[in-house]
Amino acid sequence: MLVTTYRYLFLIVFVLFFSSCFQVVEEINVNKTGSGTVNLTLNLSASKAKVASLMLMDSIQGYRVPSKQTIQKELEEIVSYLKKSEGITNVQKKMDFDNFIVSVSFAFKDVANINTVNQNVLKKLKIKGLSNASYAYEPKTQTFQRSYQYTKATVLEYNKLKPEVKNVFKDASYTSIYRFEQLITSSNNPLAKISKSKKAIMINTGILGLINGKTDISNRITLSK
Amino acid sequence: MNSLYKCLVALVFASITLSSSAQDLVNKIPADALAVATIKGKNFTDLMSLKEFNSTFIGKEILSKLSKGTDKAVNSVEDLGFDLSSSLYYYNLSNDSISYNCFLVPVKNAEQLEALYTQANQKFIVKNGIRSYYNSDSTEVAHWNDKFLLFVIGTGKSGYFARPEVAERFKLSQAASVGQAADSLSIAVPAQDEIAVDSTMVVDSLEEVVAVPDTIGYDYGNTFFKDEQKKKAVVAGWIQLMVDDFFAGPNTTSILNNKDFIKSIDQQAEATIWIAGADKLFNTYMPSTYLKGMSFLNGYGSANAKLFLEDKSIRINTSMAFSDEIAGVFKKVLKRKLNKRFLKYINEDKAIGYLAYAMDTKAYLEQYPKLMSKIYGSVYADEIGMAADLFSLLLDEGAISKVVKGDGLFLFNGLSQKEVTYKSMDYNEENFESKEITKIKKETLPDFLFMMSSEDTRLIDKLIAYGVKKELVKNSSGYYELSVPKSPLALYFMIKEGIIFFGTNKKDMQDIAGNRYVANVSRKHRKVLMNTNYAGYFSAKKLFGKISVEEFASTKKLEKLNNVLDSMGDIYLKSNPIKGNIYSGEISMDIPSNQQNALKYLFSLVEDAQK
């Protein structure tokens, strides 16, 4: 009897603690030559109190909570992997454990270099569902292609999660910003918004849409010659 | 088989809907049943009529599911053919080799029941006025005549079949060389008709069936599956024997001869579960191979739980009998009452719930070795004896019980909203350049106060002094603040008049420290708290409108939650003082005054949740 009531009270507290949100931001600046910079950010600041509470625990509801040291170690691994990758330079990481914001940035020689490293980085950050992405830049036709293919595996993984944990993704958002030296003449994704300067394009959407395949973030951007 | 499950589901709910009285089947339950569950159909129908049930959400769902895959729609639960004018029963019989789960249900119209099977394309046979249905391996069977239906699910015990002499007797390959066995043995699974027709089949003849070469082509080429099939065939034979015996004649060893069962019968209860012995049930289901000699529930006797659906509340009463020795332990441990001074810090106007407990730490620590020796004593008597002595030597039970006396009260005083800042990304319109900005949002936080009694606070005082020195604890006037980095939830504590307070509300702490706390406890709560060892209360209604919309994805969802919270009555739980060797407790929920009775209220909750 007591156990049931304890559980009930715990559930209310738990739901309050777990209904949090986070931001994933992907920024890519592409030069005319095809070189450029990437900045990937994971921002859990809006849920920092909850994250801090969770991090005091070893595991919650059967899920292991990574320690600060584990997160630091994993990020170090990403950075050292990037440093060794072909065409990648100026690798930098930023960890703000007061606000729980983690970001990695680097410069690339050619857009194709991102494809090789991107999947591994996202895998390391445990962001599933965004890993079937690739980028292509054609200087001849002045097009930048962001391909994204949805796989059912993502939603299957998501469905395995406990309802309380699913809540974490409820308000989570994904933002992609691509900036160019040239003017953008067209884009084929209706979700994309072009900046006033016409040199940047942004998609801001919910992560849940990416998980269940309802949102398509692929885009073909044509630039002025 | 599926349709049979459907029938059983329907049956449970249909019990709500039928009236008048018929012969009670309870006398057919064998005296050695380990557990019996009773559903009193009449009590349910007094609360809700058949017609009303058919038009409820659950009623409609059941009828539509029953109609699926059948030629004719089932329009009323009455059409199922069951007569629930009397009670319906579930009981469990177990021995070292098999466990039978049995459902015993009165039949009103055998033809209707037959039609149900026929419509669902399920075959059954008729012999001597008894209709029999078997699943594919005959481990789930239903037999019925014009008066009652007996549905049995039999499960063989792996521990029994693993015994070498048993494996050899039934020619299970695990006793012999696996490869050799696989080659030399194949199985003849008794098809349902074989068993069904030959109701005189006994285990010995079944063994012969098992041992003969494959006659019906079931060859899985896998010794494991072959073994499983053989075991199931043996189990099927045992079930058949049991069922034959059941239908053969009067039950000379009825459960009605069991005084304890008789005592558990309550005509007012809508449903009752009775367990012959918690220890017996535990030993039946626990793997004896791993826990040999250990008895976790040694000294725990019969138990029962009763459900009462009343005009003003829903109640579940539970009770358990203990051996003299264990009851003695409980009596000593439970002799403490809650600290009366806790009542000075309860304000019912804001309390949404509480949990209180009172036990004697000293008695518990003194009795602990005894409890351990009851569990492990038979196997590790010497070791437990030494451990118990060591335990007593190392622990000063008296000193510990002064620090932690053993009683506590957790008060849930609601939810409060606090503004918190966080970093977010902002992008300019010109070129979507990102910039980190600070935003403000509201966090909903629980508000609680926990109290526990302590006579000797020297150790805690030292800990506090250490915390202050290390700047983990801030000393305010009369209370302390615990610094939790990054958490918007403030934590405060203090020690006053032999009570350790721990809470989230600064004002409460200031008021307690300044003797200004305004308490408000009704007689009802005062009585429950002071006269029991365990007490709980939760008023979901008081949470109405207190959860911020920011915690929910949509306003609609929040509205729905608020509706459910608003329609829920207050929940209470309490333990009763131990009487003789019986320890009992109760959990209950009040019913809103606009509801006719508990059953209709439960159905209305389901309907509300579907809206």
Side-chain angles (χ1 to χ4, degrees):
Chain A
M1 284 191 308
L2 270 175
V3 173
T4 321
T5 313
Y6 273 124
R7 267 191 190 165
Y8 198 77
L9 282 173
F10 177 73
L11 197 73
I12 288 173
V13 175
F14 188 79
V15 166
L16 290 174
F17 268 72
F18 239 134
S19 52
S20 48
C21 58
F22 64 90
Q23 273 183 308
V24 177
V25 186
E26 175 196 72
E27 290 173 87
I28 305 179
N29 298 321
V30 187
N31 300 325
K32 247 182 193 173
T33 54
S35 64
T37 57
V38 169
N39 188 19
L40 288 173
T41 306
L42 178 64
N43 180 4
L44 284 92
S45 176
S47 323
K48 62 180 176 187
K50 288 159 191 175
V51 177
S53 322
L54 292 179
M55 282 184 73
L56 293 174
M57 291 178 236
D58 189 47
S59 68
I60 188 152
Q61 289 269 305
Y63 298 101
R64 204 167 167 73
V65 180
S67 66
K68 190 175 162 181
Q69 286 75 16
T70 313
I71 297 168
Q72 275 170 331
K73 197 177 151 237
E74 287 203 3
L75 206 63
E76 287 295 347
E77 280 172 19
I78 291 168
V79 169
S80 64
Y81 166 78
L82 284 172
K83 280 182 176 166
K84 280 184 272 175
S85 302
E86 199 190 332
I88 305 295
T89 54
N90 198 20
V91 185
Q92 285 180 350
K93 64 169 195 308
K94 220 169 89 181
M95 277 184 282
D96 173 359
F97 277 103
D98 286 328
N99 289 297
F100 295 103
I101 303 174
V102 179
S103 66
V104 179
S105 65
F106 58 86
F108 56 87
K109 210 170 152 189
D110 189 277
V111 170
N113 300 137
I114 316 174
N115 295 337
T116 338
V117 299
N118 205 15
Q119 286 200 9
N120 291 314
V121 174
L122 285 168
K123 245 185 231 168
K124 282 269 177 198
L125 286 175
K126 295 193 170 59
I127 304 167
K128 287 177 182 170
L130 300 177
S131 49
N132 296 303
S134 70
Y135 307 86
Y137 175 65
E138 276 291 330
K140 270 187 197 170
T141 52
Q142 286 291 294
T143 49
F144 180 84
Q145 176 94 33
R146 203 276 192 228
S147 309
Y148 168 79
Q149 207 185 352
Y150 172 72
T151 59
K152 275 216 162 152
T154 315
V155 77
L156 292 176
E157 279 294 317
Y158 175 76
N159 286 339
K160 279 185 207 161
L161 298 175
K162 291 176 183 168
E164 300 89 356
V165 182
K166 282 182 181 170
N167 263 344
V168 175
F169 294 90
K170 203 173 59 184
D171 297 324
S173 72
Y174 163 81
T175 309
S176 74
I177 300 168
Y178 307 131
R179 301 187 195 91
F180 306 93
E181 287 182 340
Q182 311 95 302
L183 294 175
I184 297 165
T185 53
S186 71
S187 118
N188 71 351
N189 189 321
L191 292 174
K193 194 181 152 193
I194 298 172
S195 72
K196 270 186 186 169
S197 67
K198 297 214 182 317
K199 287 184 175 177
I201 188 162
M202 172 163 77
I203 289 179
N204 193 355
T205 184
I207 294 243
L208 209 55
L210 298 177
I211 290 170
N212 57 32
K214 282 185 183 160
T215 313
D216 182 10
I217 49 165
S218 61
N219 203 359
R220 187 180 168 83
I221 303 155
T222 316
L223 307 164
S224 65
K225 285 178 186 169
Chain B
M1 192 178 80
N2 198 24
S3 76
L4 199 65
Y5 276 128
K6 283 183 188 174
C7 292
L8 283 162
V9 172
L11 191 63
V12 173
F13 290 101
S15 64
I16 299 155
T17 59
L18 297 166
S19 58
S20 86
S21 69
Q23 184 207 354
D24 201 309
L25 299 172
V26 66
N27 65 337
K28 296 199 173 293
I29 299 173
D32 55 351
L34 276 185
V36 178
T38 310
I39 296 178
K40 282 210 178 338
K42 188 177 179 310
N43 291 10
F44 278 99
T45 49
D46 286 348
L47 299 172
M48 184 183 264
S49 74
L50 167 72
K51 222 175 171 183
E52 283 173 310
F53 174 77
N54 285 336
S55 57
T56 60
F57 174 79
I58 294 174
K60 282 180 199 159
E61 280 288 300
I62 289 168
L63 292 175
S64 86
K65 280 198 175 141
L66 285 170
S67 301
K68 240 181 219 172
T70 58
D71 309 330
K72 207 177 134 198
V74 184
N75 297 318
S76 167
V77 280
E78 212 176 15
D79 298 343
L80 299 175
F82 295 118
D83 182 354
L84 302 170
S85 52
S86 184
S87 304
L88 65 113
Y89 300 91
Y90 156 83
Y91 61 92
N92 176 277
L93 294 171
S94 286
N95 55 34
D96 66 333
S97 45
I98 187 169
S99 173
Y100 303 101
N101 288 301
C102 313
F103 298 85
L104 184 57
V105 188
V107 168
K108 187 182 181 187
N109 185 333
E111 279 75 36
Q112 278 181 324
L113 199 52
E114 278 175 25
L116 205 67
Y117 275 87
T118 313
Q119 281 161 24
N121 298 316
Q122 297 293 329
K123 283 182 188 164
F124 61 89
I125 53 155
V126 187
K127 194 179 176 187
N128 301 330
I130 298 168
R131 290 87 166 160
S132 305
Y133 161 85
Y134 298 85
N135 75 337
S136 60
D137 55 22
S138 300
T139 54
E140 291 174 18
V141 301
H143 296 254
W144 71 95
N145 57 23
D146 291 338
K147 289 180 179 151
F148 57 86
L149 172 140
L150 177 70
F151 176 55
V152 183
I153 302 171
T155 317
K157 294 202 173 161
S158 51
Y160 173 78
F161 285 106
R163 276 155 50 181
E165 75 277 13
V166 175
E168 198 186 333
R169 190 169 144 220
F170 293 119
K171 299 191 169 49
L172 300 173
S173 57
Q174 62 202 44
S177 141
V178 173
Q180 189 191 349
D183 293 338
S184 60
L185 285 171
S186 59
I187 56 155
V189 173
Q192 36 181 287
D193 287 350
E194 282 177 76
I195 288 191
V197 173
D198 185 11
S199 60
T200 56
M201 183 180 291
V202 292
V203 173
D204 287 340
S205 64
L206 188 84
E207 286 167 32
E208 286 159 26
V209 176
V210 170
V212 296
D214 185 354
T215 52
I216 51 172
Y218 276 31
D219 188 355
Y220 292 93
N222 180 317
T223 46
F224 172 78
F225 285 112
K226 283 183 178 178
D227 271 359
E228 287 305 300
Q229 289 297 331
K230 281 184 216 168
K231 287 178 203 168
K232 280 184 177 173
V234 175
V235 166
W238 287 335
I239 296 172
Q240 188 63 50
L241 280 176
M242 191 275 263
V243 172
D244 287 345
D245 200 32
F246 187 93
F247 279 85
N251 180 18
T252 49
T253 59
S254 165
I255 191 78
L256 292 174
N257 296 326
N258 187 318
K259 277 184 193 159
D260 194 75
F261 176 78
I262 298 283
K263 255 199 267 173
S264 79
I265 297 172
D266 188 325
Q267 295 305 332
Q268 302 304 315
E270 269 68 27
T272 312
I273 296 170
W274 170 84
I275 293 165
D279 51 343
K280 280 187 215 164
L281 204 65
F282 183 84
N283 294 337
T284 303
Y285 283 98
M286 281 299 116
S288 56
T289 32
Y290 302 116
L291 304 169
K292 213 165 194 170
M294 292 178 208
S295 183
F296 289 94
L297 295 178
N298 190 356
Y300 287 60
S302 71
N304 67 65
K306 295 169 196 167
L307 168 75
F308 298 90
L309 300 171
E310 295 166 341
D311 290 347
K312 300 216 177 323
S313 70
I314 300 166
R315 267 190 309 128
I316 296 173
N317 283 9
T318 56
S319 80
M320 183 170 259
F322 296 98
S323 67
D324 290 346
E325 201 178 356
I326 295 287
V329 170
F330 271 96
K331 277 176 192 163
K332 282 180 188 131
V333 172
L334 299 174
K335 70 184 174 207
R336 180 175 295 288
K337 295 280 175 230
L338 197 75
N339 188 337
K340 208 177 171 184
R341 289 199 292 264
F342 289 171
L343 300 179
K344 280 164 63 184
Y345 307 102
I346 301 173
N347 185 347
E348 250 180 68
D349 294 337
K350 62 175 186 178
I352 282 169
Y354 62 69
L355 280 168
Y357 65 90
M359 52 181 252
D360 194 306
T361 308
K362 188 177 174 215
Y364 180 73
L365 291 173
E366 281 169 355
Q367 300 298 322
Y368 185 74
K370 198 190 265 183
L371 289 173
M372 285 302 106
S373 72
K374 289 291 286 180
I375 296 173
Y376 303 104
S378 57
V379 198
Y380 305 109
D382 297 339
E383 292 86 341
I384 284 290
M386 283 188 287
D389 287 347
L390 189 67
F391 187 83
S392 302
L393 188 75
L394 293 175
L395 297 183
D396 182 344
E397 290 92 348
I400 294 172
S401 71
K402 278 186 179 165
V403 180
V404 181
K405 290 180 82 79
D407 58 341
L409 174 66
F410 178 89
L411 266 173
F412 179 37
N413 278 333
L415 301 167
S416 59
Q417 259 109 40
K418 197 175 172 184
E419 282 189 346
V420 289
T421 58
Y422 68 98
K423 302 271 182 200
S424 181
M425 296 293 182
D426 195 32
Y427 312 95
N428 68 13
E429 290 294 307
E430 186 56 32
N431 206 34
F432 297 148
E433 297 297 343
S434 56
K435 201 174 91 183
E436 230 177 62
I437 54 157
T438 304
K439 284 189 175 176
I440 295 171
K441 68 171 209 164
K442 276 185 182 172
E443 291 254 5
T444 304
L445 301 166
D447 195 355
F448 68 82
L449 178 67
F450 176 70
M451 293 171 263
M452 59 181 269
S453 302
S454 179
E455 209 174 286
D456 180 357
T457 59
R458 284 174 301 171
L459 176 68
I460 300 160
D461 289 336
K462 276 182 190 163
L463 277 172
I464 295 170
Y466 180 76
V468 173
K469 202 172 160 189
K470 294 281 169 191
E471 292 180 350
L472 293 166
V473 174
K474 208 169 96 188
N475 193 348
S476 300
S477 47
Y479 63 95
Y480 300 91
E481 183 176 349
L482 197 67
S483 95
V484 187
K486 291 170 222 155
S487 171
L489 190 76
L491 290 172
Y492 307 93
F493 64 93
M494 74 163 95
I495 302 169
K496 195 184 169 190
E497 295 171 354
I499 302 173
I500 299 170
F501 295 87
F502 190 73
T504 52
N505 192 309
K506 193 174 184 173
K507 192 176 174 299
D508 281 356
M509 286 291 161
Q510 287 167 339
D511 289 348
I512 294 168
N515 296 321
R516 294 186 301 270
Y517 197 92
V518 182
N520 172 21
V521 200
S522 64
R523 221 178 132 175
K524 183 179 180 179
H525 286 289
R526 188 181 287 265
K527 198 176 152 195
V528 169
L529 284 164
M530 295 317 299
N531 292 339
T532 58
N533 288 98
Y534 296 97
Y537 161 70
F538 182 70
S539 175
K541 206 188 286 284
K542 286 187 185 169
L543 271 180
F544 179 85
K546 290 199 173 148
I547 297 170
S548 141
V549 71
E550 286 179 30
E551 304 291 348
F552 276 77
S554 71
T555 327
K556 209 177 156 190
K557 274 190 184 170
L558 182 64
E559 255 175 46
K560 199 171 163 181
L561 177 81
N562 274 330
N563 284 341
V564 173
L565 289 174
D566 194 37
S567 57
M568 276 176 76
D570 290 354
I571 297 167
Y572 299 88
L573 66 91
K574 63 168 191 174
S575 64
N576 297 321
I578 193 159
K579 242 187 215 171
N581 286 1
I582 293 168
Y583 191 39
S584 61
E586 180 183 288
I587 182 160
S588 66
M589 182 162 98
D590 287 348
I591 289 166
S593 53
N594 60 347
Q595 297 290 333
Q596 284 179 40
N597 62 50
L599 185 64
K600 285 188 178 168
Y601 169 63
L602 285 177
F603 274 82
S604 77
L605 276 185
V606 177
E607 309 257 332
D608 282 351
Q610 297 305 318
K611 277 179 194 165

